[in-house]
Amino acid sequence: MEIEASNGHNNKTNVEKSERERQIDEWLPITSQRNAKWWYSAFHNVTAMVGAGVLSLPYAMSQLGWGPGVAVMILSWIITLYTLWQMVEMHEMVPGKRFDRYHELGQHAFGEKLGLYIVVPQQLVVEVATNIVYMVTGGTSLKKFHDTVCPSCKKIKLTFFIMIFASVHFVLSHLPNFNSLSGVSLAAAVMSLSYSTIAWAASVDKGVQENVQYGYKSGSAAGTVFNFFNALGSVAFAYAGHNVVLEIQATIPSTAEKPSKIAMWRGVVVAYIVVALCYFPVSFIGYWMFGNSVDSDILVSLEKPAWLIAMANMFVVIHVIGSYQVYAMPVFDMIETLLVKILKFKPTTTLRFVVRNIYVAFTMFIAVTFPFFDGLLGFFGGFAFAPTTYYLPCIMWLIIYKPKKYSLSWWTNWICIVLGVLLMIVSPIGGLRTIIIKAKTYKFYS
């Protein structure tokens, strides 16, 4: 009798436990809704990938030079599309189970503890760094819009523009999950195509500048090498959508006949076509027209017509609003999972309200304190984006699928791993040097 009673009690506790877990999963932003369409994946991916990084690509080209620049751009496009395909495939490789978050896949590949230690810090660095960089970008673009529209107005500090930009996120970050972001994301994706088109079309209109030069600008060999490294980081930053790809796929419904990877892959292909339409014309045409005198933001090089540049800057602001939210959602999910599942807080609206406001305030504070944009891109680009985008998926693929030694899949993955590791080592060096040089002349909260 006692055994039966204790079994009954255990079953009851298990039912209660699974009921609580189900309620938590329905409350958490990543797993709460699984009814997304394939085109949601397309514009979430465009929003995540085509960041403001695209505007610094002509500058990166000027530090890389024609040959290496074209090679790095095209290779990055191919490698990241391949690693993205791997992640889409691995989302449901265990029948009946979905890896809804990057770290869950990491835990499957590397083990429960090690998977968390490898993936979570890198993913957090990528997402938080991206949010900080986007705070800076949003503020800078708002400032440029203001200065272009009203050149005679009183100059306002960048600090205040970053705060104005942040105020939008104190409202938007309370959208509960990815699907509720789809409208914001669609607007952002359209804007990215718009300002990229403005950037290259206005460059063509301006024509090749007089005395244009394509040689390396830095006087010293060391300077040239460091700039080259920094540019590699900027390119890595431009292809950093992988950190949110499993989380986006988690919102797509999945059945045995129609697994989520079919819809997700369709969205990814559309997104990558848009990425190519944004990145290649901007970087190649921008560099061709301005040579090595191009600014770290191509819109700065295009001073006229003023209305067009003002419009492009406003498009950047709208786009970055969407991008910030797409990158913040997995961070909210991590923090809320920790609070609710491990620290046993009640999943309430108040908890969410407090957590998300603190996060937005934190990213705003860091952005206001350190707004040296291009150095940050190179530093974070290599340090964190290279692993999660260029080679972590390949390592997981080798561990899980164990392709035959020296087969095509084996070679492809190892080449991606070697290139990714090199990128991770060299680009933070260039980025750090840029930050140090900028810091010499920098005044806080100016």
Side-chain angles (χ1 to χ4, degrees):
M1 283 298 281
E2 274 181 19
I3 295 168
E4 275 177 24
S6 73
N7 280 351
H9 178 69
N10 285 348
N11 287 345
K12 195 179 171 192
T13 0
N14 286 344
V15 167
E16 279 171 8
K17 196 176 167 190
S18 61
E19 178 60 25
R20 182 171 189 273
E21 279 178 358
R22 193 180 60 78
Q23 283 176 342
I24 289 173
D25 278 344
E26 282 179 8
W27 181 76
L28 288 172
I30 303 297
T31 44
S32 60
Q33 282 188 330
R34 297 202 194 264
N35 54 2
K37 306 286 185 281
W38 72 265
W39 53 87
Y40 286 23
S41 121
F43 42 76
H44 283 325
N45 273 302
V46 171
T47 304
M49 189 90 61
V50 186
V54 63
L55 300 173
S56 65
L57 288 176
Y59 182 67
M61 282 288 296
S62 75
Q63 294 176 321
L64 294 167
W66 272 121
V70 173
V72 165
M73 286 295 301
I74 292 171
L75 259 177
S76 287
W77 191 84
I78 295 166
I79 290 174
T80 55
L81 181 58
Y82 172 66
T83 54
L84 199 54
W85 169 78
Q86 288 180 313
M87 293 191 72
V88 171
E89 285 290 314
M90 289 191 281
H91 180 81
E92 284 180 286
M93 65 197 163
V94 177
K97 185 167 169 38
R98 296 180 70 169
F99 297 111
D100 293 324
R101 300 166 178 88
Y102 205 143
H103 66 83
E104 290 175 10
L105 182 60
Q107 286 174 298
H108 180 72
F110 303 114
E112 283 295 310
K113 276 255 171 76
L114 189 61
L116 275 181
Y117 292 145
I118 290 175
V119 178
V120 172
Q122 298 199 44
Q123 197 182 4
L124 270 178
V125 166
V126 169
E127 285 159 0
V128 178
T130 305
N131 281 158
I132 293 166
V133 168
Y134 283 164
M135 276 280 179
V136 177
T137 313
T140 312
S141 297
L142 271 177
K143 183 171 164 49
K144 282 182 204 149
F145 175 79
H146 171 265
D147 296 349
T148 312
V149 171
C150 183
S152 55
C153 291
K154 181 174 178 282
K155 289 280 177 274
I156 301 174
K157 287 180 178 178
L158 175 60
T159 302
F160 294 123
F161 282 108
I162 295 176
M163 287 174 171
I164 294 167
F165 179 75
S167 63
V168 180
H169 296 292
F170 282 113
V171 178
L172 280 183
S173 59
H174 299 295
L175 288 170
N177 52 35
F178 259 125
N179 285 0
S180 59
L181 270 182
S182 52
V184 180
S185 210
L186 173 63
V190 171
M191 290 303 146
S192 58
L193 197 55
S194 310
Y195 69 70
S196 301
T197 309
I198 289 176
W200 68 258
S203 300
V204 169
D205 183 59
K206 212 159 185 181
V208 179
Q209 299 302 292
E210 280 179 41
N211 309 325
V212 69
Q213 289 179 331
Y214 300 111
Y216 293 119
K217 196 159 54 172
S218 180
S220 64
T224 304
V225 172
F226 280 125
N227 287 347
F228 190 91
F229 289 170
N230 193 35
L232 289 175
S234 299
V235 175
F237 181 82
Y239 287 100
H242 294 51
N243 291 280
V244 291
V245 72
L246 291 175
E247 286 81 352
I248 293 169
Q249 193 167 344
T251 61
I252 294 176
S254 189
T255 58
E257 302 77 52
K258 283 188 78 175
S260 63
K261 64 183 182 188
I262 296 172
M264 183 67 185
W265 180 241
R266 192 184 295 171
V268 167
V269 170
V270 171
Y272 255 75
I273 291 168
V274 175
V275 167
L277 291 174
C278 291
Y279 284 14
F280 298 144
V282 172
S283 46
F284 302 155
I285 293 172
Y287 180 44
W288 181 31
M289 298 304 163
F290 297 101
N292 62 14
S293 60
V294 71
D295 269 285
S296 63
D297 177 339
I298 180 78
L299 295 180
V300 178
S301 299
L302 302 162
E303 292 115 2
K304 293 183 175 62
W307 64 270
L308 189 68
I309 305 312
M311 192 165 78
N313 274 307
M314 211 56 223
F315 287 172
V316 173
V317 172
I318 297 169
H319 172 84
V320 177
I321 288 172
S323 294
Y324 182 97
Q325 289 300 326
V326 168
Y327 275 96
M329 200 55 85
V331 181
F332 296 151
D333 183 78
M334 276 190 213
I335 301 170
E336 287 165 15
T337 303
L338 173 77
L339 290 172
V340 174
K341 285 192 174 173
I342 295 165
L343 302 175
K344 302 285 187 240
F345 277 85
K346 270 212 165 92
T348 59
T349 319
T350 319
L351 179 72
R352 183 166 273 173
F353 181 78
V354 173
V355 164
R356 297 188 177 190
N357 281 346
I358 290 173
Y359 178 76
V360 174
F362 166 75
T363 52
M364 176 185 81
F365 172 72
I366 302 287
V368 164
T369 313
F370 307 106
F372 355 88
F373 181 57
D374 45 359
L376 288 176
L377 277 187
F379 183 68
F380 285 126
F383 175 61
F385 294 81
T388 49
T389 304
Y390 286 77
Y391 68 83
L392 252 187
C394 300
I395 295 175
M396 292 186 200
W397 188 271
L398 290 173
I399 292 173
I400 294 164
Y401 287 103
K402 303 182 172 57
K404 221 169 101 207
K405 225 176 185 182
Y406 310 122
S407 64
L408 179 63
S409 168
W410 187 89
W411 275 113
T412 312
N413 285 307
W414 274 109
I415 289 168
C416 292
I417 291 168
V418 170
L419 291 174
V421 171
L422 285 174
L423 186 62
M424 180 186 78
I425 295 166
V426 300
S427 52
I429 302 171
L432 197 59
R433 178 174 174 271
T434 311
I435 293 173
I436 292 166
I437 290 171
K438 289 271 168 72
K440 284 178 185 167
T441 55
Y442 179 68
K443 291 185 186 68
F444 275 102
Y445 307 111
S446 54

